[in-house]
Amino acid sequence: MIEQLTSLLSDYTFQLVALGTGFLGLLSGVIGTYATLRKESLLGDALSHAALPGIAIGFLFIGRKEWIVLMIGAAVSGLFATFLIQWMSRKNVVKFDSALSLILSSFFGLGLVLLTYIQDQPNANQAGLDNFIYGQASSMLLSDVRMISIIGIVLLVLVGVFWKEFKVFTFDPIFTQTAGFSSSILQFLLSTMMVLVIILGLESVGVILMSALVIGPSVAARQWTDRLSGVMGLAGVFGFFSGVIGTILSSLGKQIPTGPTIVLVMSVFVVFSLFFAPNRGLIRKYISQKKQQQMYKKQMELKKEGKEYAG
């Protein structure tokens, strides 16, 4: 086992995939923190599913798997879905959660129809398009890792530059307007950043599981701290190690998909945090509740003894 692990860690292909999935997990945790704290966790799910028809339409335009074109199509489709969700909820056409469900199912259904149509065509270039549904991290190339790194650095810089604005908008959108910040611009920036992160993970994790990677790390991190910087930092760490450990486990086994394994590792971080976090963990809450019950019981006994003595 040790020899197998040593051989794996020295393998160039594994190093490439582990670096790519680790950095992808870090970005997902950082950017996903905003969605979690703004109680828009399902937005990541809707956007990941909404990207599928954009990928299919991009392929139909050029007739081959050109990564840049497919990602542009996914980005346009995801941003259009975001606009529809925000517009429907802002105009009180339907509630926010109903808009999410409607867009998610409609766009994903359209994507599946288009992919089915493409796969029925006599075009050999369409092979592998279904990988965007479930993901295939093992096919990650050096160019993919470079793209993830470049876009990731840009996103992290944006987080740093607009730290104060994003923070105010996340916790108090009404005050954002009072302070002179443009809510529409901040909303567009956050939505675009979320779409970009999701697009980067489509080929490796897939549209179905990508939303879990965006939300899971921040949910786990939220149990350990109440500070935005702490939550975001921990979410990045949890996301990074989910990607690396998931890649290791899938590589050690036989025919174990990397994307689902990464999500499972991330789920372990979430469950562990929910139970064992010192501030908000279920075990800590249980112990505190038991202590309060014992104190209350002791106070009632003292009151009873005092009444009996006075009588």
Side-chain angles (χ1 to χ4, degrees), residues 8 10 22 52 64 94 112 144 146 167 206 251 280-281 303 310:
L8 177 65
S10 60
L52 189 60
R64 63 182 186 277
V94 294
L112 290 178
D144 299 327
R146 286 175 178 171
K167 184 177 182 179
S251 300
R280 302 162 62 93
K303 287 182 179 179

Side-chain angles (χ1 to χ4, degrees), residues 279-295:
N279 296 326
R280 302 162 62 93
L282 294 176
I283 293 180
R284 174 57 181 257
K285 289 181 178 179
Y286 176 79
I287 295 174
S288 299
Q289 186 179 12
K290 283 297 182 180
K291 288 183 178 179
Q292 291 178 358
Q293 290 176 351
Q294 292 175 358
M295 290 178 61

Side-chain angles (χ1 to χ4, degrees), residues 167-292:
K167 184 177 182 179
V168 174
F169 183 68
T170 298
F171 293 104
D172 196 345
I174 298 177
F175 179 74
T176 302
Q177 298 177 352
T178 307
F181 302 139
S182 175
S183 297
S184 58
I185 293 178
L186 293 176
Q187 179 66 61
F188 175 76
L189 281 175
L190 285 175
S191 299
T192 303
M193 291 164 67
M194 176 73 76
V195 169
L196 288 175
V197 169
I198 290 173
I199 288 173
L200 290 176
L202 288 180
E203 192 171 14
S204 56
V205 181
V207 300
I208 296 179
L209 296 176
M210 188 57 204
S211 59
L213 187 60
V214 170
I215 301 304
S218 56
V219 171
R222 181 66 181 90
Q223 311 308 313
W224 297 88
T225 178
D226 295 327
R227 296 180 60 87
L228 176 60
S229 57
V231 173
M232 190 170 288
L234 277 177
V237 171
F238 288 149
F240 177 82
F241 281 104
S242 295
V244 174
I245 296 174
T247 302
I248 293 174
L249 294 178
S250 65
S251 300
L252 289 175
K254 292 183 178 180
Q255 296 182 342
I256 300 178
T258 304
T261 307
I262 292 173
V263 174
L264 284 176
V265 173
M266 179 272 300
S267 300
V268 172
F269 282 120
V270 173
V271 173
F272 180 84
S273 300
L274 290 174
F275 277 93
F276 298 102
N279 296 326
R280 302 162 62 93
L282 294 176
I283 293 180
R284 174 57 181 257
K285 289 181 178 179
Y286 176 79
I287 295 174
S288 299
Q289 186 179 12
K290 283 297 182 180
K291 288 183 178 179
Q292 291 178 358

Side-chain angles (χ1 to χ4, degrees), residues 108-124:
F108 188 60
L110 175 62
L112 290 178
V113 170
L114 292 175
L115 283 182
T116 302
Y117 170 77
I118 291 171
Q119 291 172 350
D120 289 338
Q121 302 302 308
N123 185 352

Side-chain angles (χ1 to χ4, degrees), residues 11-12 49 87 107 186 201 255-256 264 294 296:
D11 183 72
Y12 174 76
H49 286 73
W87 178 83
F107 274 66
L186 293 176
Q255 296 182 342
I256 300 178
L264 284 176
Q294 292 175 358
Y296 177 77

